[in-house]
């Protein structure tokens, strides 16, 4: 076993861990970052598949994400806008393909009225929610006891309106069916983006991409941190003592993080991993009861991000923006995802939660055929024959186990939310899945990395 002594050991080289490390190093602290994978970035990963550059994980930047935008500026990274000129496609319950502009889908007038009314109601409720403390809302418990699906049923009997509003939070964000999470969890998701209207507005929420891919953020941070990062080092055990600041007993410091070949002794540890992976590590002594309990009430959503690359962005020739939605389609949303300065055209589509379970029970060939068939309903037959086809399957990734992120089960947010980020002795927690603003996004990961570094620097 190699032994290293440092001020702070950080578990996880995603955006949260690397931001915390950068802040601590800039303040003169020594850090070691232990990363399980053989690369940095976690859920940010740009790869070349059969000659096509694909963003396998997170990619979009929205204008409210100031922490991310500041980091992009610090690293000198350039952004470009998602292609959005032309008409969008909506497929209705009868399978009829309709073209539209703006945010409201081309649905019957009554349904449109219901959708607009629901958006207004949700915006008003979201305005009362502090994303950093959704459990502090006077009706938090009540809102956490009712599923989002049920809450929608109490508001309207219009199926199409409910399905569309549900889709923006369920399939498109938490990537769980809307009966599987509470109304409070849905309000947190919207509050973290500023309003429900922002979530509905694809031009806002999916505004920009980074030239070369969003993984440039962790790669840029990692370059500056250099040898402080140790790859291929899954942390198996954390030994810790209640007291911090070198006062620990058996371990001589506050914590020891143990991998298969390293023992890192430090005053503090930051667990910058998805919260569902916290209990995969052994703790000596065990974590307190509340931590054991709360992690059992969190689970990852699940979505397949589908990439289809074509010789040209052919849909643009027919005046289509590439933006497409349908709560009735296997692929419930799709966009033009053509890379900056790339003559080829790329479409990205998403197959979420139970639909994703369904297609994963098929062979790879059948799954591809079913997904492309759904995409072709939006863009026509040319969509059936991409030159490159790839499915991002984060559910199979041992060090992530789902996508996009973790959320609480029914009742869990009001009951345990406040404990999620509370440090335990020398053990601190940071991850996008614990953020208020920027929750489940890279912006939230950066915010959490900054917050936890500040707490350590202030001796909290
Ligand atoms: P993250 O999970 O990235 O990092 C944790 C790190 O810890 C990983 O590197 C992991 O390997 C490591 N680790 C885990 N256990 C360990 C152990 N025991 N020992 C050592 N290391 C360990 N966001 C956005 O802003 N815009 C977007 O468009 C999208 N889209 C999107 C699509 C897809 C398909 C996904 C999967 C995700 C997104 N996201 C997104 C979400 C975004 O990618 C995500 O919120 C952040 O990248 C999370 O960063 P963190 O650092 O918090 O965790």
């Amino acid at each position: 076993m190699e032994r290293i002594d440092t001020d702070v050991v950080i578990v996880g080289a995603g955006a949260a861990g690397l931001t915390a490390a950068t802040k601590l190093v800039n303040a003169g602290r020594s850090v070691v970052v232990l990363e399980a994978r053989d690369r940095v970035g976690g859920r940010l990963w740009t790869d070349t598949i059969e000659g096509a550059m694909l963003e396998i994980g997170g990619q979009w930047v929205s204008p409210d994400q100031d922490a991310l935008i500041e980091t992009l500026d610090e690293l000198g990274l350039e952004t470009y806008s998602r292609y959005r000129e032309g008409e969008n496609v909506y497929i209705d319950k009868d399978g009829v393909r309709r073209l539209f502009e703006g945010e409201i889908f081309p649905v019957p007038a009554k349904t449109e009225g219901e959708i607009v009314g629901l958006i207004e109601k949700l915006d008003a409720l979201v305005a009362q929610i502090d994303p950093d403390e959704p459990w502090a809302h006077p009706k938090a418990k009540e809102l956490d006891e009712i599923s989002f699906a049920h809450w929608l049923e109490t508001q309207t009997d219009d199926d199409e309106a409910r399905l569309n509003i549900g889709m923006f939070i369920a399939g498109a964000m938490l990537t769980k069916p809307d009966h599987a999470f509470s109304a409070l969890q849905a309000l947190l998701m919207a509050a973290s983006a500023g309003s429900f209207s922002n979530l509905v507005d694809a031009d806002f929420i999916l505004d920009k991409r980074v030239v070369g891919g969003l993984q440039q953020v962790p790669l840029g941070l990692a370059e500056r941190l250099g040898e402080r990062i140790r790859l291929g080092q899954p942390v198996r055990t954390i030994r810790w003592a209640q007291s911090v600041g070198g006062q620990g007993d058996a371990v001589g410091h506050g914590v020891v993080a143990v991998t298969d070949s390293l023992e890192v002794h430090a005053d503090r540890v930051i667990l910058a991993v998805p919260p569902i992976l916290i209990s995969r590590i052994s703790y000596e002594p065990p974590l307190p009861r509340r931590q054991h309990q709360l992690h059992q009430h969190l689970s990852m959503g699940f979505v397949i991000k589908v990439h289809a690359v074509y010789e040209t962005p052919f849909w643009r020739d027919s005046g289509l923006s590439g933006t497409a939605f349908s709560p009735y389609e296997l692929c419930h949303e799709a966009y033009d995802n053509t890379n900056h300065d790339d003559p080829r055209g790329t479409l990205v589509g998403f197959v979420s939660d139970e639909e994703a379970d369904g297609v994963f029970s098929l062979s790879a060939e059948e799954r591809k055929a079913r997904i492309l068939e759904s995409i072709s309903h939006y863009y026509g037959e040319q969509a059936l024959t991409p030159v490159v086809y790839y499915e991002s399957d984060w559910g199979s990734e041992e060090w992530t186990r789902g996508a996009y992120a973790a959320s609480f089960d029914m009742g869990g947010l009001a009951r345990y939310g406040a404990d999620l980020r509370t440090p335990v002795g020398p053990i601190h927690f940071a991850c996008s899945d614990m953020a208020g603003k920027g929750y489940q996004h890279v912006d939230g990961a950066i915010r959490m990395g900054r917050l936890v570094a500040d707490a350590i620097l202030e001796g909290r």
Side-chain angles (χ1 to χ4, degrees), residues 11-17 34-37 39-44 56-61 65 68 206 214 233-236 272-274 277 280-281 303 305 350 392 394 399-400 402-405 430-433 440-443 445:
V11 184
L34 298 173
E35 167 54 49
R37 290 176 160 106
R39 60 169 181 83
V40 299
R43 278 170 274 175
L44 295 178
I56 292 166
Q59 61 167 66
W60 281 297
V61 182
Q65 296 180 332
L68 172 57
L206 312 179
L214 195 50
Q233 296 288 347
V235 171
R236 312 282 186 195
V273 305
L277 293 182
R280 197 175 184 277
I281 300 172
V303 65
K305 181 176 181 182
F350 296 89
S392 302
W394 290 86
W399 303 107
T400 305
Y404 309 108
C431 180
S432 69
D433 310 18
Q440 299 213 349
H441 285 80
V442 181
D443 181 68

Side-chain angles (χ1 to χ4, degrees), residues 420-452:
L420 192 53
R421 307 178 188 170
T422 310
V424 173
I427 306 173
H428 295 254
F429 306 97
C431 180
S432 69
D433 310 18
M434 301 175 179
K437 199 164 177 237
Y439 171 55
Q440 299 213 349
H441 285 80
V442 181
D443 181 68
I446 293 173
R447 283 174 199 278
M448 289 305 301
R450 289 177 177 179
L451 208 70
V452 80

Side-chain angles (χ1 to χ4, degrees), residues 15-57:
L18 296 175
T19 300
T22 303
K23 205 152 190 222
L24 290 165
V25 167
N26 289 347
R29 301 295 172 93
S30 59
V31 307
V32 170
V33 184
L34 298 173
E35 167 54 49
R37 290 176 160 106
D38 61 1
R39 60 169 181 83
V40 299
R43 278 170 274 175
L44 295 178
W45 183 19
T46 307
D47 205 359
T48 301
I49 310 283
E50 294 170 34
M53 192 276 261
L54 303 180
E55 297 204 63
I56 292 166

